[in-house]
Amino acid sequence: MDTIARTPQQLGQALRARRARLKLSQTEVGTKVGIKQDTVSTLEIHTPSSTVETLYKALSALGLELVVREKARSSPSAEEW
């Protein structure tokens, strides 16, 4: 199932939802890729200090990949960038 995340908050929600489906703790996700539990938490709640490298590590730990594609031609919502 695909999830479209157009904001950092939506991406954090998608990461948290995937972790919950896999029944993994934040600590378990972090241990898989060598990041701390609080870093996983930071990604899930979107703190500006999150790095792209850390995001890719979390995606890897959760068996996810990032897909970049052209957006549909609909008008952007107020929450989008």
Side-chain angles (χ1 to χ4, degrees):
M1 179 169 90
D2 290 344
T3 300
I4 296 175
R6 292 193 172 111
T7 67
Q9 292 81 6
Q10 290 172 341
L11 182 56
Q13 291 168 355
L15 293 172
R16 184 174 31 256
R18 173 66 175 187
R19 182 176 56 77
R21 278 193 302 278
L22 294 174
K23 297 183 168 94
L24 294 172
S25 69
Q26 291 177 341
T27 301
E28 290 169 322
V29 169
T31 298
K32 286 180 168 235
V33 291
I35 59 178
K36 296 177 181 178
Q37 173 276 325
D38 61 333
T39 304
V40 176
S41 176
T42 297
L43 284 169
E44 290 183 357
I45 61 171
H46 171 61
T47 300
S49 64
S50 301
T51 66
V52 173
E53 181 179 356
T54 302
L55 171 61
Y56 275 101
K57 287 180 179 182
L59 291 170
S60 175
L62 295 168
L64 297 172
E65 60 187 6
L66 183 65
V67 177
V68 178
R69 66 176 178 215
E70 189 173 329
K71 288 173 59 173
R73 297 272 183 217
S74 65
S75 355
S77 73
E79 293 182 356
E80 288 185 40
W81 289 42

